[in-house]
Amino acid sequence: MNLPEEIEVAAKQSYPVYLGAALEELGDYLQSLPDKIQHILVISHKKVSDLYLERLVKGLEDYRVDLLTVPEGEEEKSLERLSRLTTAALDCGADRKTLVIALGGGVIGDLAGFFASAFMRGIRFLQVPTTLLAQVDSSIGGKVAVNHPAGKNILGAFYPPLAVWTDFSTLNSLPWNEVENGLAESIKHALIDDEDLFAFFETQADSIRQRDPAIWREMVTRSTSIKIRIVSQDEREQGIRRLLNLGHTFGHALETEMNYRGVTHGQGVSIGIVAASYLANAKGSLTLTEVERIKQLLQRYDLPTSIQKQDPQTLLRRMQTDKKNQGGRKILVLPQGIGQAVVSEDCTDEEILAAWHKIIVENN
Amino acid sequence: MNLPEEIEVAAKQSYPVYLGAALEELGDYLQSLPDKIQHILVISHKKVSDLYLERLVKGLEDYRVDLLTVPEGEEEKSLERLSRLTTAALDCGADRKTLVIALGGGVIGDLAGFFASAFMRGIRFLQVPTTLLAQVDSSIGGKVAVNHPAGKNILGAFYPPLAVWTDFSTLNSLPWNEVENGLAESIKHALIDDEDLFAFFETQADSIRQRDPAIWREMVTRSTSIKIRIVSQDEREQGIRRLLNLGHTFGHALETEMNYRGVTHGQGVSIGIVAASYLANAKGSLTLTEVERIKQLLQRYDLPTSIQKQDPQTLLRRMQTDKKNQGGRKILVLPQGIGQAVVSEDCTDEEILAAWHKIIVENN
Ligand SMILES: NC(=O)c1ccc[n+]([C@@H]2O[C@H](COP(=O)([O-])OP(=O)(O)OC[C@H]3O[C@@H](n4cnc5c(N)ncnc54)[C@H](O)[C@@H]3O)[C@@H](O)[C@H]2O)c1
Ligand SMILES: NC(=O)c1ccc[n+]([C@@H]2O[C@H](COP(=O)([O-])OP(=O)(O)OC[C@H]3O[C@@H](n4cnc5c(N)ncnc54)[C@H](O)[C@@H]3O)[C@@H](O)[C@H]2O)c1
C-alpha cells in the first residue's frame, strides 16, 4: 500500500491520522490491526455513499459490511436519530466487535461517533472525513455529540477514533459553499497558530479557489496539523484547545439569533473572527492594519466580514448562554497579532457591544 | 469527620469507594477535592429523596443544590428521560462545573451516570447508592447505561464516578423484596470468588434476615470488595469481569421471556445460578452435592431455584440474542466448586437445554 502521511494525535488513547490516504486502501490498514474486525457498519449520507462507498468497499471485501444512511442536515444530530441507528444496527447484527465507519462530513462524524461511543458502552470507530471542515477540523480531537432542543452539541463524549482516514480526492465533489465552511476554520487555524499558513492563504488564493490539487493537499495538511498539535496538548479543552473557539462565540450568537438560516457556520465564524479582531484591537493586542489584513483575506474567499440589521444588545444576550462560559463570565478568544491568540476572561459587556457595532452595517 | 473505610478501584481513572460513610459528611469530602464545586445536581426518586435528601444536604450548605426527581421504574432508564434531564439541568443552570449526585438504587445510578457522562461531553458524577444491589454491585465498576426498545442497557458508557459514597444506614428502609435483588448478587459474588463469604451467608442467614447491623456491615463490605477486586483487574469486561455474569445469561432469558413480570431480577439471577450450576455439574466442574448446597443457600433467603411452565426451547432462543455472545457462540459462566468460576465458550445447545430442564417444574 502506498503509505499516506501519518500523524499521531496524543490523547488518553492516542490515534493516527492518515493524510492523503486512499479510500480503496482502508482494508489494508484494517488487516494490520491486532484485534480482528468481522463486521463493519458504514454510517453516511446517501449522497456521499453514492459517490464513495464503491471505492471504500473495494478494500473491505474480507468483511461483512452494512450501510446505514442518515438524511441530510444538522437536525439529524439528535437523540431520535441515535435511537433509530441503534435499532438498525441491531437489525443487521452489530455487536461489540463491530467497527463503525463515519463516511461524510462533520454531521456524520459527530453522530456516528456518539453512536459508537454509546452502543454497547462503546465500540470501535473510524473517521473517513469527506468535507473540508471534517478533514481539517471535526474529525480531529475526539469530540462527538448530538444536539438537543436546549442546545447544540449538548450531549456527547470525548471518544477518540481508532484512526482518521483522510482521502483528499473526496473533496473534489464538494460544493463551494461547503468548501467555505472549511476555509473559515482553516483560516482560523492559521490565525491562531501559524502566520506562515496565513500568508500562504494570502498568496495562494487563486490556486485554492481553482482547487489546484497540490495546493489543496498542502493547505489541508498544514491546517489539519495545527488542530492535531493543539488537541494533542489539551485533549479535554481545559487550556490551549480553547483557542480553537476564536470567532465561535460571536459566530454562534449570530447563528442562533438567525435561527441557523441566512448565515452558514463558515459565514458566522468569519464574521465572528472579525468581531474578535476588533475586540482584540480595542484591548491592544492587534493593530488596525492587522484587522484589515484579516478582513481582506476573508473577503478574498468571499467570506463575509459584516452583517446587516442586527441588534447588538440581543446578540450580547445570546452570548450569555454559551456553554463555554463559566460562572457567568464570558470567555473570549482574541488574536494577538497574526499567528497567535489568547483566551480572555476580562472583556466587559461594553467592549463586546462595541465589537458587535463594528461589524453590523446599518441599513441606510 | 469520622472516616469510613476507603477502598480504591483501579481503573483508567481510579476512584475511591467509601464504605460506611455518613450522608451528612459528604460535604467534608467534597471540600477536600482539588477542583472546587459550586453547583450540585442531585438525581433521585421522590421516595428516596423524601427519606434521605435532608440528611445529605446537611453537609452541602456551601453549595448551590438542585434536585431532579425521576419517576420509579426500569422503563425510566431511557433516552426520553435523558432528554428531559438535559432540559431540566440547563433550566437550573447546570454547566461544566456541575457535580451530579445519584441518590438511589441502580436505576438512578445508571441513568444519572449516563446523563453525567454525556452532558456537555461529561461532567463530574458521584454515586450515593441506597439499595443493597446498588451498594454491592451497580455503583461499582463504572458501567452506566439506558435501555432501548431493542435491548437492555444497550446505550451507555464506561464512566467512572468521582467516588462512591456508601451509607449502610440507608438500607434500613429498603423493602425485603428489594433486599433480595441485592442478596442474589451478593451470593453470586461469594460463589464466584469467596468460599468463606459463601459460608458466612450459610451460618449468618438468621442475622441477615433480621437485618443485624453488624452482620449487614460485614456482608456488604465483603461482597462489595469482591466486585471491586474483580473490576479493578478488568475494567472493560474482557477477561475476569465476565465472571460476574454468572446466572445472568439464563436469568436474563427468563426475565425477557416473562416480559419482566412475575420474576424479579434477583429471582431471575437465583434461578439462573441454579441452571448454571447444573450445567457446571454436567461439564464436570461441580458435584451434585455442591449444586444442592447452592440451592439450599438460595432457598434460605427465599430465593427461587426453579420455575413453572416454561418452554426450554424458547428460553434457549432467547439466549441467542444476549449481547455478551460473540460471533454466534454462547458464552456462559460456570461455577467451579464453591468460590470459583470459569467462562465457558463450548457449551452445546443440548447441554444448555438439559440445564433448563433441570430447573423447570412441570405443572402437574
Ligand atoms: N466534533 C468536532 O470537533 C466538530 C468541530 C467542528 C464542527 N463540528 C460539527 O460538524 C458539523 C458540520 O460539518 P460539515 O460542515 O462537514 O457539514 P455536513 O456534514 O452536513 O456536510 C455538509 C454537506 O456536504 C455533503 N457532503 C459531504 N461530503 C461530500 C463530498 N465529498 N462531496 C459532496 N458533498 C459532500 C453532505 O452530505 C452535506 O450535505 C456540525 O454539526 C458541527 O457541529 C464538529
Ligand atoms: N451499572 C451496573 O454495573 C449495574 C449492575 C447491576 C444492575 N444494574 C442496574 O440496576 C438497576 C436495578 O437497581 P435496583 O435493584 O437498585 O433498583 P431501583 O433503582 O429501581 O430501586 C429499587 C426500588 O427501591 C427504592 N429505593 C431505593 N433506595 C431505597 C431506600 N434506601 N429505601 C427504600 N426504598 C428505596 C427505589 O425507589 C425503587 O423503587 C437495573 O436497571 C440494572 O440494570 C446496573
Side-chain angles (χ1 to χ4, degrees):
Chain A
M1 136 168 120
N2 191 347
L3 274 176
E5 180 167 359
E6 176 182 343
I7 311 182
E8 196 74 13
V9 181
K12 237 174 32 184
Q13 267 175 285
S14 61
Y15 53 93
V17 179
Y18 295 99
L19 295 172
L23 293 181
E24 297 81 355
E25 287 171 358
L26 179 59
D28 296 342
Y29 168 69
L30 296 182
Q31 293 284 4
S32 74
L33 295 176
D35 193 1
K36 287 290 160 256
I37 288 152
Q38 287 168 8
H39 180 228
I40 293 177
L41 205 59
V42 178
I43 300 183
S44 190
H45 287 144
K46 181 171 184 318
K47 187 164 82 185
V48 180
S49 61
D50 281 353
L51 286 166
Y52 298 113
L53 188 68
E54 205 179 306
R55 284 181 55 199
L56 189 70
V57 295
K58 266 213 186 103
L60 304 180
E61 278 144 1
D62 292 351
Y63 309 95
R64 188 161 65 81
V65 179
D66 284 296
L67 168 70
L68 301 180
T69 58
V70 172
E72 305 253 327
E74 180 70 27
E75 61 280 8
E76 292 295 328
K77 269 177 54 179
S78 67
L79 285 179
E80 291 71 38
R81 182 55 57 187
L82 178 75
S83 177
R84 283 164 188 245
L85 283 178
T86 304
T87 311
L90 288 169
D91 282 348
C92 58
D95 67 16
R96 293 186 171 170
K97 297 276 175 192
T98 294
L99 168 73
V100 171
I101 296 183
L103 175 68
V107 164
I108 289 294
D110 279 11
L111 171 66
F114 188 47
F115 167 73
S117 82
F119 187 72
M120 295 188 176
R121 296 198 186 86
I123 60 176
R124 283 169 296 177
F125 167 53
L126 193 134
Q127 294 260 23
V128 181
T130 65
T131 65
L132 181 59
L133 181 131
Q135 294 194 355
V136 303
D137 188 357
S138 64
S139 69
I140 313 290
K143 282 190 186 180
V144 294
V146 296
N147 303 321
H148 181 273
K152 253 202 86 173
N153 294 326
I154 214 80
L155 295 170
F158 286 92
Y159 196 69
L162 201 61
V164 183
W165 195 257
T166 297
D167 184 330
F168 299 136
S169 77
T170 59
L171 300 180
N172 295 339
S173 54
L174 200 64
W176 189 258
N177 64 324
E178 295 299 342
V179 171
E180 275 185 6
N181 286 327
L183 281 175
E185 304 292 354
S186 299
I187 290 171
K188 178 200 74 182
H189 290 167
L191 186 52
I192 62 180
D193 199 50
D194 188 346
E195 184 171 8
D196 277 358
L197 180 59
F198 193 90
F200 176 87
F201 273 113
E202 291 177 322
T203 53
Q204 302 296 335
D206 289 335
S207 309
I208 289 174
R209 292 177 60 100
Q210 287 151 23
R211 303 198 188 208
D212 177 305
I215 298 294
W216 268 59
R217 167 179 283 262
E218 181 167 352
M219 167 185 84
V220 177
T221 303
R222 291 177 68 173
S223 177
T224 307
S225 304
I226 293 171
K227 174 114 189 217
I228 293 176
R229 200 154 64 229
I230 290 177
V231 301
S232 291
Q233 288 170 65
D234 173 25
E235 187 186 5
R236 294 277 161 160
E237 198 167 8
Q238 280 151 358
I240 184 179
R241 186 168 181 167
R242 297 190 294 170
L243 296 183
L244 294 168
N245 292 319
L246 172 62
H248 281 66
T249 315
F250 285 101
H252 191 220
L254 205 55
E255 283 182 87
T256 45
E257 177 57 23
M258 295 177 75
N259 233 324
Y260 296 93
R261 274 186 288 268
V263 63
T264 64
H265 180 66
Q267 291 170 341
V269 169
S270 178
I271 294 167
I273 288 173
V274 178
S277 299
Y278 277 117
L279 184 51
N281 174 249
K283 302 291 271 185
S285 70
L286 201 68
T287 66
L288 261 192
T289 316
E290 288 166 328
V291 177
E292 284 307 320
R293 191 177 159 200
I294 293 167
K295 285 173 69 174
Q296 271 165 27
L297 179 65
L298 293 167
Q299 286 161 1
R300 238 7 222 98
Y301 292 94
D302 297 328
L303 285 162
T305 55
S306 65
I307 187 111
Q308 294 192 327
K309 288 192 264 183
Q310 289 291 331
D311 175 36
Q313 284 287 357
T314 312
L315 291 167
L316 181 71
R317 266 197 305 279
R318 288 274 177 197
M319 294 168 91
Q320 227 99 39
T321 57
D322 195 280
K323 75 171 175 296
K324 267 117 194 174
N325 293 340
Q326 270 169 24
R329 259 184 322 182
K330 291 187 191 69
I331 310 219
L332 286 159
V333 182
L334 306 179
Q336 199 169 39
I338 308 284
Q340 272 193 62
V342 285
V343 173
S344 165
E345 310 197 356
D346 67 354
C347 295
T348 65
D349 284 357
E350 289 65 40
E351 290 167 328
I352 296 171
L353 273 177
W356 276 121
H357 272 289
K358 292 273 188 192
I359 57 95
I360 295 173
V361 190
E362 304 299 337
N363 240 26
N364 66 4
Chain B
M1 125 172 128
N2 190 347
L3 273 177
E5 180 167 356
E6 176 182 341
I7 311 183
E8 196 76 11
V9 181
K12 235 170 40 181
Q13 266 175 288
S14 60
Y15 53 94
V17 179
Y18 294 99
L19 296 171
L23 292 180
E24 297 81 355
E25 287 171 358
L26 178 60
D28 296 342
Y29 168 69
L30 296 182
Q31 294 284 5
S32 74
L33 294 177
D35 193 2
K36 286 290 159 253
I37 288 152
Q38 287 168 7
H39 179 229
I40 293 177
L41 204 58
V42 179
I43 301 183
S44 191
H45 286 143
K46 182 173 183 315
K47 188 165 82 185
V48 180
S49 61
D50 282 353
L51 285 165
Y52 298 113
L53 188 69
E54 204 179 307
R55 284 181 56 200
L56 189 70
V57 296
K58 266 213 185 103
L60 304 179
E61 278 146 359
D62 291 352
Y63 309 95
R64 187 161 67 80
V65 180
D66 285 295
L67 168 69
L68 301 181
T69 58
V70 172
E72 304 252 327
E74 180 69 28
E75 60 280 6
E76 292 295 329
K77 270 177 54 178
S78 67
L79 286 179
E80 292 70 38
R81 182 55 57 187
L82 178 75
S83 177
R84 283 165 189 243
L85 283 177
T86 304
T87 310
L90 287 168
D91 282 349
C92 59
D95 67 16
R96 292 187 169 170
K97 296 277 176 192
T98 295
L99 169 72
V100 171
I101 296 182
L103 175 68
V107 164
I108 290 294
D110 279 9
L111 172 67
F114 187 48
F115 167 74
S117 82
F119 188 72
M120 296 188 175
R121 297 198 185 86
I123 59 176
R124 283 170 296 179
F125 166 53
L126 194 134
Q127 294 261 23
V128 181
T130 65
T131 65
L132 181 58
L133 181 131
Q135 293 193 356
V136 302
D137 188 358
S138 65
S139 69
I140 312 290
K143 282 190 187 180
V144 295
V146 297
N147 303 322
H148 181 274
K152 255 201 86 173
N153 294 326
I154 214 80
L155 295 170
F158 286 92
Y159 196 68
L162 201 61
V164 182
W165 195 256
T166 297
D167 184 330
F168 300 135
S169 77
T170 58
L171 300 181
N172 295 338
S173 54
L174 199 64
W176 189 257
N177 63 324
E178 295 299 343
V179 171
E180 275 184 6
N181 286 327
L183 281 174
E185 303 292 354
S186 300
I187 291 171
K188 178 200 73 182
H189 289 168
L191 186 53
I192 63 179
D193 199 52
D194 187 346
E195 184 170 7
D196 278 0
L197 180 58
F198 194 90
F200 177 87
F201 273 113
E202 291 178 320
T203 54
Q204 302 296 335
D206 289 336
S207 308
I208 290 173
R209 292 176 60 100
Q210 287 152 26
R211 303 197 189 211
D212 177 304
I215 297 296
W216 268 59
R217 166 180 283 262
E218 182 169 349
M219 168 185 82
V220 177
T221 302
R222 290 177 67 173
S223 177
T224 307
S225 304
I226 293 171
K227 173 114 190 217
I228 293 176
R229 202 157 61 231
I230 290 177
V231 301
S232 291
Q233 288 172 63
D234 173 25
E235 187 185 9
R236 294 278 162 158
E237 198 167 8
Q238 280 151 355
I240 185 179
R241 186 168 181 167
R242 297 189 294 169
L243 296 182
L244 294 167
N245 292 319
L246 173 62
H248 281 66
T249 316
F250 285 101
H252 191 221
L254 205 54
E255 283 183 86
T256 44
E257 177 58 24
M258 295 177 74
N259 234 323
Y260 296 93
R261 274 186 289 269
V263 62
T264 64
H265 180 67
Q267 291 169 342
V269 169
S270 178
I271 295 166
I273 288 173
V274 178
S277 300
Y278 276 117
L279 185 52
N281 174 247
K283 303 289 272 183
S285 71
L286 201 68
T287 65
L288 261 191
T289 317
E290 287 167 331
V291 177
E292 283 308 318
R293 191 176 159 199
I294 293 168
K295 284 174 71 175
Q296 272 167 29
L297 179 65
L298 293 167
Q299 286 162 1
R300 247 350 234 107
Y301 292 94
D302 297 328
L303 284 162
T305 54
S306 64
I307 186 110
Q308 295 191 326
K309 288 195 264 186
Q310 289 291 331
D311 174 35
Q313 283 289 357
T314 312
L315 291 167
L316 181 71
R317 266 197 304 280
R318 289 273 177 200
M319 293 166 92
Q320 228 99 40
T321 56
D322 196 280
K323 77 170 174 293
K324 268 119 195 173
N325 293 340
Q326 270 168 22
R329 259 183 322 182
K330 293 186 191 70
I331 309 218
L332 285 160
V333 182
L334 306 179
Q336 199 168 39
I338 307 284
Q340 272 193 61
V342 284
V343 173
S344 166
E345 310 197 357
D346 66 354
C347 295
T348 65
D349 283 359
E350 289 64 40
E351 289 167 329
I352 296 171
L353 273 177
W356 276 122
H357 272 290
K358 291 274 189 193
I359 58 93
I360 295 173
V361 189
E362 304 301 335
N363 238 27
N364 71 8

